[in-house]
Amino acid sequence: GSVVGFAADDQGRPVFSFSGMSAHTKNLEKDARCSLTVTEASFAGAADARVVLTGTVDRLQGDDADAARAAYKASHPKAYWVDFGDFHVYRMSEILDVAFVGGFARAGSVTPAEYAAADVDPVAPFFKPVADHMNDDHEDALKTYVEVLVGTDEVSSAEMTRLDRYGIDVRVVDAASGSTGVLRVPFNDPVTDRAAVKTAIVALSKDAAARQAS
């Protein structure tokens, strides 16, 4: 398989910019059926999230091509080669299957209709700044969340790898064995904006402190 960049249009359909010289482009021209595997940014192994979209990919023309190219350039602002004459835009216009794996024991299927109707998680745009802040300045707090709120043994490191409206995922290293894993720390209530994310994380700290004091 090929490693490729992609973006999503306003309906969540993957769009691509492919050179006519690439083997995957030639393959798609012969047979439009394909699958796209997308992993989370910090993907390290089976404990991390990934999704496989299976469908048909076709080359776009006219206004559809212009809109897809704009979406791709918005997602990849340094992709100057998109405007080269040999590059054309493609889209997985028909998604036939969606297979999601959120980590160990967190697999499930999503119908194409459910995928098309879903909204982007409202706190997704805040993930990177929040995770960077927590990982750079508050690793001890993340350790406390998993040790006290989740109930693990002592961990030697903790890294926030995912944030959504329902909670955070933390990659940990067990202090005794050195084994790694990804643990879920849920929020008390769903959140929808950045201020609410901060409030929810503060609440985790307060809950952990209360349990330690009891």
Side-chain angles (χ1 to χ4, degrees), residues 48-121:
D48 299 309
R50 62 273 192 195
V51 64
V52 179
L53 305 178
T54 302
T56 57
V57 172
D58 46 39
R59 180 176 165 181
L60 300 179
Q61 306 285 346
D63 291 343
D64 284 345
D66 292 339
R69 185 178 293 105
Y72 192 93
K73 292 169 73 173
S75 183
H76 304 276
K78 296 182 179 180
Y80 58 88
W81 38 263
V82 170
D83 294 319
F84 288 0
D86 184 50
F87 280 78
H88 303 285
V89 286
Y90 292 75
R91 180 178 66 203
M92 185 178 283
S93 296
E94 185 179 15
I95 298 175
L96 302 174
D97 184 70
V98 182
F100 174 74
V101 180
F104 289 122
R106 295 166 67 182
S109 61
V110 179
T111 68
E114 290 171 333
Y115 175 82
D119 294 323
V120 175
D121 191 283

Side-chain angles (χ1 to χ4, degrees), residues 115-163:
Y115 175 82
D119 294 323
V120 175
D121 191 283
V123 301
F126 316 130
F127 163 68
K128 189 177 188 314
V130 171
D132 287 348
H133 174 64
M134 293 299 295
N135 292 332
D136 291 343
D137 301 328
H138 299 289
E139 184 185 8
D140 286 344
L142 294 172
K143 291 179 180 179
T144 300
Y145 298 161
V146 297
E147 291 172 356
V148 177
L149 299 180
V150 179
T152 69
D153 293 332
E154 181 183 357
V155 299
S156 59
S157 71
E159 174 192 12
M160 182 190 293
T161 60
R162 198 180 315 160
L163 165 71

Side-chain angles (χ1 to χ4, degrees), residues 11-22:
Q11 297 182 45
R13 297 173 296 186
V15 297
F16 314 89
S17 179
F18 292 150
S19 166
M21 299 175 61
S22 299

